[in-house]
Amino acid sequence: MFKENTIKLGIAPIAWTNDDLPELGGENTFEQCVSEMALAGFTGSEVGNKYPRDTEILKQALSLRGLQIASAWFSAFLTTKPLEETVEAFIEHRDFLHAMDAKVIVVSEQGKSVQGQAVPVYKAKPVFTEEEWKLLVDGLHRLGELAAEKDMDIVFHHHMGTGIQTTEEIDKLMELTDPKLVSLLFDTGHLVFSGENPIHVLKKHLPRIKHVHLKDIRPEVVARVKEEDLSFLQAVKAGAFTVPGDGGIEFAEVFTTLAASAYKGWFVVEAEQDPALANPLAYALKARRYISEKTGL
């Protein structure tokens, strides 16, 4: 289905130990995490809080297991803090990822975000003013320029509980930003959770997509999140997310659309769950089997 050597398969450490909810998987070590990633048949990883920040130590640990770093999340506060604060933190993050040979930098705008707050994720979703949109666009262009200095791209992560969550907001961001400086991360789970049509977003913005998160959802849990006004973190604890092949999303058209495109890069399985309820290795193996069955990868 996919052209040879165009796609790499990674998995995020958030299934083993959750950075936003330290009580989930707090006992799971970095070594267990990366060993089980490799055991499940993945060749890449994003970066969690337990990962060594010394690049030589991290490279050695990963090379022993045949793993690479695909990218890592960066929280921007372009709409709520002085630009230089985000720029300073971004340069440090960029240089770390560059040293790890990553090609893309995942950027999420966390100004006004409610994803970590104890408020209803649907009802309390922030909406940016025109002034905030301008700050966001100008700031992302600056980050894109800084990434380009290292031959890297920023990929913007639309996300539940943030100002860039819906199809309309993604469309506006893509319209206002320079394609040479700002690319898009396509995340199946966050789109379906938000009530969007992921295939529409995928096809419309395919030329801008340079990173893919493969995330599934459990529809019955998402329905409860709406009905009971749960927060994003409560949704995670309740099991709203799961790996591809275990939830309600049909991935066939996602895969065929990407296979027919010029997309090259990472597919990263990402499914934050309570590892005490969803054994990370078992779910990693389930995701790997599903992707193999659907794509031949």
Side-chain angles (χ1 to χ4, degrees):
M1 178 185 281
F2 287 94
K3 297 180 183 71
E4 191 175 358
N5 300 323
T6 58
I7 304 298
K8 297 178 180 180
L9 292 180
I11 189 166
I14 202 164
W16 281 264
T17 180
N18 194 303
D19 294 342
D20 297 319
L21 293 162
E23 67 271 24
L24 300 187
E27 71 284 358
N28 293 333
T29 65
F30 161 71
E31 289 78 11
Q32 176 190 342
C33 175
V34 291
S35 294
E36 291 185 350
M37 287 175 172
L39 190 59
F42 292 92
T43 59
S45 167
E46 292 192 348
V47 179
N49 281 349
K50 289 182 179 176
Y51 280 43
R53 301 305 289 192
D54 182 309
T55 56
E56 291 310 310
I57 292 172
L58 181 54
K59 281 181 180 178
Q60 182 181 29
L62 295 175
S63 66
L64 286 171
R65 298 161 173 88
L67 295 173
Q68 298 173 272
I69 291 300
S71 187
W73 169 286
F74 176 78
S75 293
F77 294 90
L78 299 166
T79 58
T80 55
K81 294 182 180 180
L83 175 60
E84 284 313 307
E85 285 189 30
T86 291
V87 164
E88 185 179 349
F90 180 81
I91 290 172
E92 181 181 349
H93 187 79
R94 176 203 66 180
D95 291 350
F96 168 76
L97 284 177
H98 183 257
M100 295 306 301
D101 301 318
K103 302 301 180 190
V104 298
I105 305 166
V106 175
V107 174
S108 173
E109 175 57 28
Q110 289 299 293
K112 299 176 74 174
S113 169
V114 300
Q115 71 185 68
Q117 298 177 21
V119 296
V121 67
Y122 284 104
K123 290 183 178 176
K125 181 206 171 308
V127 176
F128 291 148
T129 64
E130 286 308 307
E131 182 183 354
E132 288 162 346
W133 270 103
K134 186 174 187 322
L135 289 169
L136 176 62
V137 169
D138 291 348
L140 288 175
H141 284 159
R142 178 75 179 116
L143 300 187
E145 290 167 350
L146 290 167
E149 290 177 0
K150 299 286 189 180
D151 242 2
M152 301 173 78
D153 293 296
I154 62 169
V155 287
F156 192 91
H157 193 338
H158 56 88
H159 199 286
M160 288 296 296
T162 73
I164 309 294
Q165 171 185 307
T166 67
T167 301
E168 183 181 358
E169 289 160 348
I170 294 167
D171 287 350
K172 184 171 181 176
L173 184 72
M174 293 295 96
E175 181 184 333
L176 293 175
T177 51
D178 184 342
K180 296 185 187 72
L181 297 175
V182 181
S183 298
L184 184 65
L185 182 155
F186 174 72
D187 187 305
T188 51
H190 281 279
L191 287 169
V192 176
F193 198 151
S194 177
E196 318 304 315
N197 179 339
I199 300 300
H200 169 81
V201 173
L202 176 62
K203 289 182 175 179
K204 183 168 185 177
H205 299 297
L206 200 47
R208 301 281 293 272
I209 293 168
K210 291 193 176 179
H211 203 54
V212 173
H213 278 178
L214 299 176
K215 179 182 289 192
D216 212 335
I217 58 137
R218 294 185 174 95
E220 68 281 4
V221 179
V222 169
R224 187 158 70 84
V225 173
K226 285 183 183 176
E227 291 163 8
E228 299 179 14
D229 287 335
L230 300 185
S231 70
F232 179 73
L233 296 183
Q234 285 175 317
V236 169
K237 280 188 172 182
F241 293 126
T242 185
V243 299
D246 188 59
I249 297 177
E250 177 48 67
F251 283 84
E253 194 171 358
V254 171
F255 291 136
T256 56
T257 301
L258 285 164
S261 76
Y263 180 80
K264 291 191 293 186
W266 288 96
F267 286 174
V268 179
V269 171
E270 187 191 41
E272 53 266 48
Q273 304 186 73
D274 183 347
L277 302 175
N279 180 276
L281 176 56
Y283 276 78
L285 287 163
K286 180 179 286 193
R288 187 66 188 88
R289 282 194 298 269
Y290 179 79
I291 294 168
S292 179
E293 288 166 6
K294 294 293 182 182
T295 69
L297 291 168

